[in-house]
Amino acid sequence: MTARTLRLGTRRSALATTQSEHVAEQLRALGHDVELVEIVTEGDTNRGPLAQIGGTGVFAAALRNALLAGEVDLAVHSLKDLPVAPQPGLVVAAVPPREDPRDVLVARDGLTLGEIPAGGVIGTGSPRRAAQLEALGLGVEVRAIRGNVGTRIGLVGDSCDGVVLARAGLARLGRLDEATEVLDPLQMLPAPGQGALAVECRTDDTDLAELLRGLDDADTRAAVTAERALLGELEAGCSAPVGALAEIVEEEDGSLLISLRGFVGSTDGALELRRSAVGPIDEPERLGAELAQIFLDDGAADAIAPPRQPGPAVDAGHPQPAGPDSTPEGEQ
């Protein structure tokens, strides 16, 4: 493509700029000049529950508007922040290799999840995490929180015994040593797309789209496509209590398959559905849709209604109204 300085739109949080800088460095290594352009989103300034201000789409909307207006040339999102429906005029040109998608616990005194005593407080703004914590029957209180990584970790030992975050965010920020336990997906399935980035540009910027495709990882894209197809077919928003994890597995004959596990539950722990399916790697949308239908046949629609987050919400030590919050990866 013709040499030009690429303007990369990013949220201004430490995690968002770290993720964007990672993509920028890859492009610079290919000989392109890249400058980061910080965009303030409503999700950064409005501290109300995300479901009440538009869901996780509020973190992507400002970046997408800047793209469509020509103010930036590309944007880097945490993939789990993006609504499943495509944005007219834009294309996700690259999904780079994924970080470890699992969740982690950061707890006082180095405690693991099983070591937090009954009545202890675990902080999370995610109905998905809340539902799975309640389903484990640990006897803990799940309290809704919001804030960036530092804010959430700062609540540990103060208003919470521990908080649950995405491992990928801590790894990208160089804070992984603060995790006291990496949670097994058998206990806690991640959000669809967790740990993956999406690099988006305008559909009519064909030269840039072609350049960005060089950053794409086929296995990661197949896996997250299956996960997001499950979410989309369930007609569940990002704040619904839905978890999913797809993994690429190799058969004895060398063929590749996608193994997809999913979770749908209620935030009070009364309903817990875990199902799985396997399909060809080149049909991720079909696999996600088929697993979604299994969930719907088994009563998942009852859990996908807008959930009520248990416990008082906490933001940097200040109460907030309780409500659904999908803890986008920019916030963890």
Side-chain angles (χ1 to χ4, degrees):
M1 61 178 287
T2 304
R4 76 195 214 218
T5 297
L6 299 174
R7 299 163 298 165
L8 192 160
T10 178
R11 290 174 57 203
R12 61 171 50 178
S13 74
L15 180 55
T17 54
T18 298
Q19 292 175 165
S20 296
E21 187 61 38
H22 175 70
V23 172
E25 285 301 318
Q26 290 181 284
L27 292 171
R28 290 176 186 132
L30 296 174
H32 300 277
D33 292 329
V34 183
E35 69 171 290
L36 265 57
V37 179
E38 293 184 354
I39 305 293
V40 177
T41 75
E42 184 179 0
D44 295 313
T45 58
N46 189 328
R47 306 312 301 169
L50 287 187
Q52 295 181 14
I53 63 174
T56 54
V58 299
F59 290 95
L63 289 170
R64 286 178 151 180
N65 288 340
L67 265 176
L68 290 169
E71 297 169 6
V72 297
D73 301 304
L74 67 155
V76 175
H77 310 273
S78 291
L79 183 59
K80 71 176 185 179
D81 286 5
L82 285 185
V84 174
Q87 173 69 46
L90 301 179
V91 60
V92 176
V95 180
R98 186 184 206 172
E99 274 278 2
D100 188 326
R102 293 177 293 175
D103 283 317
V104 298
L105 176 73
V106 178
R108 62 173 177 84
D109 305 320
L111 295 177
T112 64
L113 191 58
E115 293 171 341
I116 293 179
V121 176
I122 298 179
T124 175
S126 162
R128 168 189 62 83
R129 290 172 179 147
Q132 293 183 86
L133 287 168
E134 293 288 1
L136 290 173
L138 300 174
V140 297
E141 176 189 344
V142 182
R143 183 171 298 173
I145 61 174
R146 276 199 65 189
N148 60 30
V149 171
T151 296
R152 290 169 185 252
I153 292 177
L155 298 174
V156 176
D158 181 10
S159 56
C160 298
D161 293 285
V163 296
V164 181
L165 308 169
R167 184 189 185 281
L170 291 186
R172 289 175 177 137
L173 289 172
R175 301 185 66 168
L176 193 55
D177 59 346
E178 297 179 61
T180 56
E181 182 181 13
V182 179
L183 300 179
D184 192 306
L186 293 174
Q187 296 177 300
M188 181 77 63
L189 276 175
Q194 185 162 300
L197 301 179
V199 187
E200 197 169 42
C201 69
R202 291 181 296 278
T203 53
D204 61 5
D205 196 344
T206 54
D207 287 346
L208 179 55
E210 183 62 30
L211 170 67
L212 295 176
R213 288 189 187 100
L215 307 182
D216 194 68
D217 182 73
D219 286 356
T220 297
R221 183 179 283 269
V224 299
T225 298
E227 295 167 11
R228 286 166 60 80
L230 167 66
L231 187 69
E233 194 69 19
L234 288 172
E235 297 184 350
C238 296
S239 59
V242 176
L245 180 61
E247 298 170 289
I248 309 302
V249 295
E250 184 174 355
E251 295 284 84
E252 291 184 0
D253 63 1
S255 61
L256 297 178
L257 299 175
I258 302 176
S259 174
L260 176 61
R261 291 179 281 171
F263 165 86
V264 177
S266 58
T267 53
D268 62 4
L271 176 66
E272 177 192 12
L273 299 175
R274 292 181 181 270
R275 303 291 185 266
S276 62
V278 177
I281 192 172
D282 58 353
E283 296 183 346
E285 295 95 342
R286 177 180 172 182
L287 178 62
E290 289 177 349
L291 185 56
Q293 189 58 56
I294 293 172
F295 274 112
L296 292 171
D297 290 345
D298 291 344
D302 294 336
I304 296 172
R308 180 182 61 82
Q309 185 67 282
V314 176
D315 180 14
H318 302 289
Q320 291 284 348
D325 180 338
S326 64
T327 59
E329 196 159 345
E331 295 201 39
Q332 296 302 294

